[in-house]
Amino acid sequence: MIVALLGLIAFAPQVNADIAAAERPNIIFIYSDDHAEAAVSACGSEITRTPRLDELAAQGVRFSQSFVANSICGPARATILTGLHSHANGRVSNGTPFRDDLPSWPKLLLDSGYRTAMYGKWHLPTDPNGFGDWGKVSSYYTRGVQTAEGFIERRGYSTDLITDLSLEWIDGQPKDQPFAIWINYHASHRTWLPATRYLGLFDDHDIPEPPTLFPDFGGKSPAAALTQMRISEDLFPAYDLKLPVTGDQILDRAAENRMAPMTKEQRAAWDDAYGLKNAAFAEASLEGQALVRWKYQRYIKDYLRCVAAIDENVGRITDFLDEKGMADNTILIYTSDQGFFLGENGWYDKRWMYEPALRTPLFIRWPSQIPAGLVDDHLVQNIDIAPTILDWAGVDAPEGMHGHSLVSLVCGAAPLEWRDAIYYHYQEYNEGRTAHRVAEHDGVRTTYDKLIRVYRHDAWEYYDLRSDPYEEHNRINDPEVADRVATLKARLAEFKVEFDDQTGKPYRGPELDED
Ligand code: CA
C-alpha cells in the first residue's frame, strides 16, 4: 500500500544524442562552499543583499526546494561528480576514499569532445580527473595555484583569483569546440576571511538574529545538545573570531598561517579593521547572552563579507559572458556544496539534516532555452546535477546514477511524476576537536515534512515544516501524526533498498523493528 502511494518512480535519462557538436552549449558550473540560502536575497534572505546572484536567478530558473544528500564538503563534491549518494561513491565523510574509477560528468564530457577545466577548491583525495586543465586553490588569501605541472605562484584573494583563472581559461578556448568549467570557490567556508575591500561592510548596523539563536533542544534527540558547533562555546577566539592570540599554540599558529600570504598592505588594512573593533570588545567586558550576541555579530558579518565577494565575482562572470556575446550558448549554474547554520539552533557549520544545512541555493541560466523568472518547486537534490549536465551536453547518463536530469523541469513540459521525497545520510562522527560531534543520521524530507533517524542514539525526530519551519517541535511521539511517521519510516526503508545503502546502522523498516 505504501509503495503504491509513494511508489518509487523510474526515470530514463533523456538524451539529446543528435545535437551537433557545434550546437552543444558551453557549461559554467559555479560552486561555492557553505553558502546558505539565508545569505542569498533571491532566496528570501533577511540579513544581506546579493544583487548579482539575484540577477542570475531572475534571468533563469530558481529551484525553491533544492537539497543535498550529505551536508559536508568532500562528500558533496563526490556526489556532484558522480550523481551518486555518498555510500555509492565512497566519500561518505571527509576522511574516506573517493571512487575515482566511477563515471563522472567531466570524464564523459571530455570523452565526448568538450574541453574541460576545474579551478578552485577540490577537497577529494584524488587529483581532478576528467578535466583537461585544472588548478587547485585553497583558503582565502593564497600564494598561488596547484596544477598538474606543479605549484604556480600567483598571490591573491581566492574568490577573485579563482574567477581570474577561470575567465582566462574560458577566453583561451577555441570557438569551434564547447567547453565545461567547474568554478569552485573556497568562500564562504570557515574561517571567513573577507577581502580587505569588504572589511568595513556592515559596520554601521547589527545583523538580525535568527529566532533560535538561544535554542531549546528539549524535544530533540540527545545528539542536538551534544553537537559542538555552538556560537556560544565552539568558535575559537583568534582562529574564528579574529580576537588577539590566546596562547593556544596550535590555534594561534593556524590563525596566523592563513594570513601569511597577505601583502603588507592587506595585513595593515586587516589589523586596522579588527584592531579598533577588538579594543572596543575588550573594553565592553561582555558576558552571558550579550557575549553570545557579540560572537554572532562577529561571525555573521565576516561570513556575509565573504559572500559579498562571491556575489561580486558571479557578476564578473555574467558580465564577461555578455561582453563576449557568449550568454545565449552558455549554461550558467550556481549552487553551493551545502547550506550552513547562520545562528539557527545557536550554531555555525552544517552536517545536520535540519533545513539550514540541508537546503542549498540552485539557479540555472540559459537565456536561449530557459524562461527568465522561472521558479521551480520540485524536490531536487545535488545527485541531479551530473545527469542534468550530461543531458544538456547530449551525452547518455550512465546506468545507475541516482539523480535525475532537471532538463524536463525547466525546458518544455514538466513530467507528470517526480520524486515525492529525498533521501539523506550523514555519517561522519568524530570525537576530535574540529569535527563537531554531529551524530550519524539518515532520513526523509518530503515537500512539507521530515523524518530523521539519529541512529547513534536510537532516536527519531519528526517535523511538520508547514507549521514549524525552524524545526523546534519534534512530534515523533504525537499520536496525531503517528500514521504519517509510520509512512515515512517505511519510506526510509524503501530508500535503503532503492539506493542499496548498507552503510551506517542497518534499517529495514518499522515492521521488522517490531519483531
Ligand atoms: Ca562545504
Side-chain angles (χ1 to χ4, degrees), residues 31-35 71-74 76-77 94 121 123 185-190 336-340 349-350:
Y31 205 52
S32 54
D33 196 322
D34 297 357
H35 187 192
S71 181
I72 184 169
C73 306
R77 283 159 177 76
N94 280 335
K121 172 168 173 169
H123 211 165
Y185 292 126
H186 177 79
S188 45
H189 195 277
R190 191 184 188 186
S336 175
D337 64 346
Q338 84 288 306
F340 212 65
D349 212 74
K350 54 258 184 179

PDB file of all heavy atoms in Angstrom, residues 31-35 71-74 76-77 94 121 123 185-190 336-340 349-350, ligand 1:
ATOM      1  N   TYR A  31      30.382  26.858  -8.091  1.00  0.00           N
ATOM      2  CA  TYR A  31      30.130  26.119  -6.846  1.00  0.00           C
ATOM      3  C   TYR A  31      30.768  26.888  -5.706  1.00  0.00           C
ATOM      4  O   TYR A  31      31.978  27.090  -5.688  1.00  0.00           O
ATOM      5  CB  TYR A  31      30.796  24.760  -6.983  1.00  0.00           C
ATOM      6  CG  TYR A  31      30.249  23.621  -6.169  1.00  0.00           C
ATOM      7  CD1 TYR A  31      28.893  23.304  -6.184  1.00  0.00           C
ATOM      8  CD2 TYR A  31      31.100  22.801  -5.431  1.00  0.00           C
ATOM      9  CE1 TYR A  31      28.406  22.207  -5.479  1.00  0.00           C
ATOM     10  CE2 TYR A  31      30.625  21.702  -4.728  1.00  0.00           C
ATOM     11  CZ  TYR A  31      29.278  21.404  -4.757  1.00  0.00           C
ATOM     12  OH  TYR A  31      28.807  20.314  -4.064  1.00  0.00           O
ATOM     13  N   SER A  32      29.969  27.321  -4.765  1.00  0.00           N
ATOM     14  CA  SER A  32      30.531  27.962  -3.578  1.00  0.00           C
ATOM     15  C   SER A  32      30.509  26.954  -2.434  1.00  0.00           C
ATOM     16  O   SER A  32      29.994  25.847  -2.562  1.00  0.00           O
ATOM     17  CB  SER A  32      29.748  29.226  -3.224  1.00  0.00           C
ATOM     18  OG  SER A  32      28.379  28.926  -3.096  1.00  0.00           O
ATOM     19  N   ASP A  33      31.065  27.351  -1.313  1.00  0.00           N
ATOM     20  CA  ASP A  33      31.260  26.418  -0.209  1.00  0.00           C
ATOM     21  C   ASP A  33      30.557  26.956   1.037  1.00  0.00           C
ATOM     22  O   ASP A  33      30.910  28.034   1.524  1.00  0.00           O
ATOM     23  CB  ASP A  33      32.773  26.277   0.042  1.00  0.00           C
ATOM     24  CG  ASP A  33      33.117  25.076   0.886  1.00  0.00           C
ATOM     25  OD1 ASP A  33      32.362  24.784   1.827  1.00  0.00           O
ATOM     26  OD2 ASP A  33      34.134  24.426   0.604  1.00  0.00           O
ATOM     27  N   ASP A  34      29.567  26.231   1.507  1.00  0.00           N
ATOM     28  CA  ASP A  34      28.856  26.614   2.736  1.00  0.00           C
ATOM     29  C   ASP A  34      28.008  27.877   2.567  1.00  0.00           C
ATOM     30  O   ASP A  34      27.753  28.588   3.547  1.00  0.00           O
ATOM     31  CB  ASP A  34      29.832  26.850   3.908  1.00  0.00           C
ATOM     32  CG  ASP A  34      30.612  25.607   4.311  1.00  0.00           C
ATOM     33  OD1 ASP A  34      30.367  24.537   3.737  1.00  0.00           O
ATOM     34  OD2 ASP A  34      31.456  25.726   5.222  1.00  0.00           O
ATOM     35  N   HIS A  35      27.557  28.164   1.365  1.00  0.00           N
ATOM     36  CA  HIS A  35      26.752  29.364   1.137  1.00  0.00           C
ATOM     37  C   HIS A  35      25.271  29.039   1.339  1.00  0.00           C
ATOM     38  O   HIS A  35      24.637  28.435   0.477  1.00  0.00           O
ATOM     39  CB  HIS A  35      27.004  29.921  -0.265  1.00  0.00           C
ATOM     40  CG  HIS A  35      26.340  31.243  -0.489  1.00  0.00           C
ATOM     41  ND1 HIS A  35      26.226  31.807  -1.732  1.00  0.00           N
ATOM     42  CD2 HIS A  35      25.752  32.113   0.369  1.00  0.00           C
ATOM     43  CE1 HIS A  35      25.597  32.971  -1.630  1.00  0.00           C
ATOM     44  NE2 HIS A  35      25.303  33.175  -0.362  1.00  0.00           N
ATOM     45  N   SER A  71      25.397  16.661   4.021  1.00  0.00           N
ATOM     46  CA  SER A  71      25.748  18.080   4.110  1.00  0.00           C
ATOM     47  C   SER A  71      27.169  18.293   4.624  1.00  0.00           C
ATOM     48  O   SER A  71      27.369  18.722   5.763  1.00  0.00           O
ATOM     49  CB  SER A  71      24.737  18.784   5.025  1.00  0.00           C
ATOM     50  OG  SER A  71      25.033  20.154   5.121  1.00  0.00           O
ATOM     51  N   ILE A  72      28.131  18.029   3.761  1.00  0.00           N
ATOM     52  CA  ILE A  72      29.532  18.207   4.130  1.00  0.00           C
ATOM     53  C   ILE A  72      30.369  18.279   2.855  1.00  0.00           C
ATOM     54  O   ILE A  72      30.009  17.709   1.826  1.00  0.00           O
ATOM     55  CB  ILE A  72      29.975  17.076   5.087  1.00  0.00           C
ATOM     56  CG1 ILE A  72      31.392  17.278   5.580  1.00  0.00           C
ATOM     57  CG2 ILE A  72      29.764  15.722   4.494  1.00  0.00           C
ATOM     58  CD1 ILE A  72      31.782  16.345   6.717  1.00  0.00           C
ATOM     59  N   CYS A  73      31.509  18.982   2.943  1.00  0.00           N
ATOM     60  CA  CYS A  73      32.215  19.451   1.747  1.00  0.00           C
ATOM     61  C   CYS A  73      32.676  18.351   0.788  1.00  0.00           C
ATOM     62  O   CYS A  73      32.314  18.347  -0.385  1.00  0.00           O
ATOM     63  CB  CYS A  73      33.428  20.275   2.165  1.00  0.00           C
ATOM     64  SG  CYS A  73      33.076  21.632   3.282  1.00  0.00           S
ATOM     65  N   GLY A  74      33.562  17.456   1.245  1.00  0.00           N
ATOM     66  CA  GLY A  74      34.131  16.442   0.358  1.00  0.00           C
ATOM     67  C   GLY A  74      33.065  15.538  -0.230  1.00  0.00           C
ATOM     68  O   GLY A  74      33.008  15.328  -1.454  1.00  0.00           O
ATOM     69  N   ALA A  76      29.968  16.123  -0.725  1.00  0.00           N
ATOM     70  CA  ALA A  76      29.123  16.861  -1.675  1.00  0.00           C
ATOM     71  C   ALA A  76      29.801  16.911  -3.046  1.00  0.00           C
ATOM     72  O   ALA A  76      29.147  16.749  -4.086  1.00  0.00           O
ATOM     73  CB  ALA A  76      28.857  18.271  -1.161  1.00  0.00           C
ATOM     74  N   ARG A  77      31.115  17.123  -3.067  1.00  0.00           N
ATOM     75  CA  ARG A  77      31.834  17.177  -4.342  1.00  0.00           C
ATOM     76  C   ARG A  77      31.819  15.823  -5.061  1.00  0.00           C
ATOM     77  O   ARG A  77      31.678  15.753  -6.285  1.00  0.00           O
ATOM     78  CB  ARG A  77      33.269  17.662  -4.103  1.00  0.00           C
ATOM     79  CG  ARG A  77      33.297  19.161  -3.879  1.00  0.00           C
ATOM     80  CD  ARG A  77      34.528  19.662  -3.149  1.00  0.00           C
ATOM     81  NE  ARG A  77      34.453  21.125  -3.081  1.00  0.00           N
ATOM     82  CZ  ARG A  77      33.663  21.807  -2.241  1.00  0.00           C
ATOM     83  NH1 ARG A  77      32.898  21.148  -1.382  1.00  0.00           N
ATOM     84  NH2 ARG A  77      33.631  23.125  -2.260  1.00  0.00           N
ATOM     85  N   ASN A  94      34.618  13.292   5.093  1.00  0.00           N
ATOM     86  CA  ASN A  94      35.821  13.956   4.592  1.00  0.00           C
ATOM     87  C   ASN A  94      37.063  13.089   4.753  1.00  0.00           C
ATOM     88  O   ASN A  94      38.130  13.451   4.256  1.00  0.00           O
ATOM     89  CB  ASN A  94      36.028  15.290   5.317  1.00  0.00           C
ATOM     90  CG  ASN A  94      35.146  16.391   4.740  1.00  0.00           C
ATOM     91  OD1 ASN A  94      34.732  16.335   3.576  1.00  0.00           O
ATOM     92  ND2 ASN A  94      34.845  17.402   5.546  1.00  0.00           N
ATOM     93  N   LYS A 121      38.669  25.187  -5.076  1.00  0.00           N
ATOM     94  CA  LYS A 121      38.715  24.159  -4.024  1.00  0.00           C
ATOM     95  C   LYS A 121      38.398  22.791  -4.619  1.00  0.00           C
ATOM     96  O   LYS A 121      37.499  22.674  -5.452  1.00  0.00           O
ATOM     97  CB  LYS A 121      37.708  24.510  -2.927  1.00  0.00           C
ATOM     98  CG  LYS A 121      37.551  23.412  -1.883  1.00  0.00           C
ATOM     99  CD  LYS A 121      36.799  23.870  -0.677  1.00  0.00           C
ATOM    100  CE  LYS A 121      36.526  22.689   0.253  1.00  0.00           C
ATOM    101  NZ  LYS A 121      36.013  23.103   1.564  1.00  0.00           N
ATOM    102  N   HIS A 123      39.112  19.231  -2.592  1.00  0.00           N
ATOM    103  CA  HIS A 123      38.661  18.510  -1.403  1.00  0.00           C
ATOM    104  C   HIS A 123      38.298  17.049  -1.645  1.00  0.00           C
ATOM    105  O   HIS A 123      37.407  16.502  -1.002  1.00  0.00           O
ATOM    106  CB  HIS A 123      37.477  19.230  -0.746  1.00  0.00           C
ATOM    107  CG  HIS A 123      37.458  19.015   0.747  1.00  0.00           C
ATOM    108  ND1 HIS A 123      36.713  19.771   1.616  1.00  0.00           N
ATOM    109  CD2 HIS A 123      38.118  18.123   1.527  1.00  0.00           C
ATOM    110  CE1 HIS A 123      36.898  19.354   2.850  1.00  0.00           C
ATOM    111  NE2 HIS A 123      37.749  18.352   2.824  1.00  0.00           N
ATOM    112  N   TYR A 185      34.611  27.969  -5.643  1.00  0.00           N
ATOM    113  CA  TYR A 185      35.071  28.954  -4.644  1.00  0.00           C
ATOM    114  C   TYR A 185      35.301  28.311  -3.275  1.00  0.00           C
ATOM    115  O   TYR A 185      34.521  27.451  -2.859  1.00  0.00           O
ATOM    116  CB  TYR A 185      34.047  30.088  -4.505  1.00  0.00           C
ATOM    117  CG  TYR A 185      33.939  30.952  -5.732  1.00  0.00           C
ATOM    118  CD1 TYR A 185      32.722  31.173  -6.357  1.00  0.00           C
ATOM    119  CD2 TYR A 185      35.076  31.540  -6.279  1.00  0.00           C
ATOM    120  CE1 TYR A 185      32.626  31.970  -7.495  1.00  0.00           C
ATOM    121  CE2 TYR A 185      34.990  32.335  -7.414  1.00  0.00           C
ATOM    122  CZ  TYR A 185      33.762  32.540  -8.011  1.00  0.00           C
ATOM    123  OH  TYR A 185      33.670  33.315  -9.132  1.00  0.00           O
ATOM    124  N   HIS A 186      36.333  28.766  -2.596  1.00  0.00           N
ATOM    125  CA  HIS A 186      36.562  28.369  -1.201  1.00  0.00           C
ATOM    126  C   HIS A 186      35.537  29.063  -0.288  1.00  0.00           C
ATOM    127  O   HIS A 186      35.122  28.507   0.732  1.00  0.00           O
ATOM    128  CB  HIS A 186      37.991  28.742  -0.789  1.00  0.00           C
ATOM    129  CG  HIS A 186      38.299  28.436   0.641  1.00  0.00           C
ATOM    130  ND1 HIS A 186      38.608  27.164   1.086  1.00  0.00           N
ATOM    131  CD2 HIS A 186      38.333  29.230   1.744  1.00  0.00           C
ATOM    132  CE1 HIS A 186      38.827  27.198   2.388  1.00  0.00           C
ATOM    133  NE2 HIS A 186      38.667  28.429   2.815  1.00  0.00           N
ATOM    134  N   ALA A 187      35.190  30.273  -0.622  1.00  0.00           N
ATOM    135  CA  ALA A 187      34.204  31.030   0.162  1.00  0.00           C
ATOM    136  C   ALA A 187      32.841  30.339   0.047  1.00  0.00           C
ATOM    137  O   ALA A 187      32.541  29.740  -0.987  1.00  0.00           O
ATOM    138  CB  ALA A 187      34.099  32.466  -0.372  1.00  0.00           C
ATOM    139  N   SER A 188      32.045  30.433   1.067  1.00  0.00           N
ATOM    140  CA  SER A 188      32.180  31.152   2.311  1.00  0.00           C
ATOM    141  C   SER A 188      32.485  30.200   3.482  1.00  0.00           C
ATOM    142  O   SER A 188      31.845  30.231   4.512  1.00  0.00           O
ATOM    143  CB  SER A 188      30.891  31.933   2.593  1.00  0.00           C
ATOM    144  OG  SER A 188      29.760  31.068   2.330  1.00  0.00           O
ATOM    145  N   HIS A 189      33.496  29.351   3.271  1.00  0.00           N
ATOM    146  CA  HIS A 189      33.888  28.349   4.265  1.00  0.00           C
ATOM    147  C   HIS A 189      34.553  29.019   5.471  1.00  0.00           C
ATOM    148  O   HIS A 189      35.123  30.105   5.356  1.00  0.00           O
ATOM    149  CB  HIS A 189      34.850  27.347   3.609  1.00  0.00           C
ATOM    150  CG  HIS A 189      35.060  26.092   4.391  1.00  0.00           C
ATOM    151  ND1 HIS A 189      35.961  26.008   5.421  1.00  0.00           N
ATOM    152  CD2 HIS A 189      34.491  24.875   4.277  1.00  0.00           C
ATOM    153  CE1 HIS A 189      35.934  24.791   5.927  1.00  0.00           C
ATOM    154  NE2 HIS A 189      35.054  24.076   5.245  1.00  0.00           N
ATOM    155  N   ARG A 190      34.461  28.341   6.624  1.00  0.00           N
ATOM    156  CA  ARG A 190      35.250  28.740   7.779  1.00  0.00           C
ATOM    157  C   ARG A 190      36.713  28.895   7.366  1.00  0.00           C
ATOM    158  O   ARG A 190      37.200  28.093   6.580  1.00  0.00           O
ATOM    159  CB  ARG A 190      35.117  27.630   8.838  1.00  0.00           C
ATOM    160  CG  ARG A 190      35.645  27.966  10.211  1.00  0.00           C
ATOM    161  CD  ARG A 190      35.507  26.720  11.087  1.00  0.00           C
ATOM    162  NE  ARG A 190      35.830  27.015  12.467  1.00  0.00           N
ATOM    163  CZ  ARG A 190      35.894  26.070  13.411  1.00  0.00           C
ATOM    164  NH1 ARG A 190      35.666  24.803  13.095  1.00  0.00           N
ATOM    165  NH2 ARG A 190      36.177  26.390  14.655  1.00  0.00           N
ATOM    166  N   SER A 336      25.691  25.796  -4.083  1.00  0.00           N
ATOM    167  CA  SER A 336      26.690  25.648  -3.027  1.00  0.00           C
ATOM    168  C   SER A 336      26.790  24.174  -2.659  1.00  0.00           C
ATOM    169  O   SER A 336      25.860  23.406  -2.914  1.00  0.00           O
ATOM    170  CB  SER A 336      26.289  26.470  -1.810  1.00  0.00           C
ATOM    171  OG  SER A 336      27.175  26.249  -0.733  1.00  0.00           O
ATOM    172  N   ASP A 337      27.926  23.778  -2.067  1.00  0.00           N
ATOM    173  CA  ASP A 337      28.067  22.352  -1.741  1.00  0.00           C
ATOM    174  C   ASP A 337      27.091  21.900  -0.667  1.00  0.00           C
ATOM    175  O   ASP A 337      26.766  20.736  -0.565  1.00  0.00           O
ATOM    176  CB  ASP A 337      29.518  21.993  -1.376  1.00  0.00           C
ATOM    177  CG  ASP A 337      30.022  22.685  -0.130  1.00  0.00           C
ATOM    178  OD1 ASP A 337      29.384  23.639   0.348  1.00  0.00           O
ATOM    179  OD2 ASP A 337      31.098  22.277   0.371  1.00  0.00           O
ATOM    180  N   GLN A 338      26.621  22.833   0.135  1.00  0.00           N
ATOM    181  CA  GLN A 338      25.513  22.592   1.052  1.00  0.00           C
ATOM    182  C   GLN A 338      25.167  23.908   1.715  1.00  0.00           C
ATOM    183  O   GLN A 338      25.781  24.931   1.419  1.00  0.00           O
ATOM    184  CB  GLN A 338      25.827  21.473   2.060  1.00  0.00           C
ATOM    185  CG  GLN A 338      26.604  21.812   3.315  1.00  0.00           C
ATOM    186  CD  GLN A 338      28.060  22.105   3.104  1.00  0.00           C
ATOM    187  OE1 GLN A 338      28.806  21.331   2.535  1.00  0.00           O
ATOM    188  NE2 GLN A 338      28.465  23.269   3.572  1.00  0.00           N
ATOM    189  N   GLY A 339      24.164  23.882   2.580  1.00  0.00           N
ATOM    190  CA  GLY A 339      23.813  25.096   3.312  1.00  0.00           C
ATOM    191  C   GLY A 339      24.698  25.274   4.533  1.00  0.00           C
ATOM    192  O   GLY A 339      25.799  24.712   4.609  1.00  0.00           O
ATOM    193  N   PHE A 340      24.215  26.054   5.504  1.00  0.00           N
ATOM    194  CA  PHE A 340      25.032  26.382   6.667  1.00  0.00           C
ATOM    195  C   PHE A 340      24.124  26.958   7.737  1.00  0.00           C
ATOM    196  O   PHE A 340      23.112  27.589   7.433  1.00  0.00           O
ATOM    197  CB  PHE A 340      26.090  27.419   6.274  1.00  0.00           C
ATOM    198  CG  PHE A 340      27.386  27.307   7.026  1.00  0.00           C
ATOM    199  CD1 PHE A 340      28.194  26.184   6.875  1.00  0.00           C
ATOM    200  CD2 PHE A 340      27.813  28.314   7.875  1.00  0.00           C
ATOM    201  CE1 PHE A 340      29.406  26.079   7.552  1.00  0.00           C
ATOM    202  CE2 PHE A 340      29.019  28.214   8.559  1.00  0.00           C
ATOM    203  CZ  PHE A 340      29.816  27.101   8.396  1.00  0.00           C
ATOM    204  N   ASP A 349      28.325  26.148  11.106  1.00  0.00           N
ATOM    205  CA  ASP A 349      28.602  24.864  10.443  1.00  0.00           C
ATOM    206  C   ASP A 349      27.353  24.229   9.815  1.00  0.00           C
ATOM    207  O   ASP A 349      26.375  24.919   9.575  1.00  0.00           O
ATOM    208  CB  ASP A 349      29.330  23.881  11.361  1.00  0.00           C
ATOM    209  CG  ASP A 349      30.270  22.980  10.556  1.00  0.00           C
ATOM    210  OD1 ASP A 349      31.327  23.467  10.116  1.00  0.00           O
ATOM    211  OD2 ASP A 349      29.933  21.810  10.318  1.00  0.00           O
ATOM    212  N   LYS A 350      27.482  22.911   9.492  1.00  0.00           N
ATOM    213  CA  LYS A 350      26.488  22.249   8.628  1.00  0.00           C
ATOM    214  C   LYS A 350      26.207  20.837   9.168  1.00  0.00           C
ATOM    215  O   LYS A 350      25.836  20.696  10.303  1.00  0.00           O
ATOM    216  CB  LYS A 350      26.998  22.210   7.181  1.00  0.00           C
ATOM    217  CG  LYS A 350      28.378  21.586   6.986  1.00  0.00           C
ATOM    218  CD  LYS A 350      29.466  22.593   6.797  1.00  0.00           C
ATOM    219  CE  LYS A 350      30.794  21.913   6.503  1.00  0.00           C
ATOM    220  NZ  LYS A 350      31.878  22.874   6.299  1.00  0.00           N
TER     221      LYS A 350
HETATM  222 CA    CA B   1      31.019  22.993   2.386  1.00  0.00          CA
END
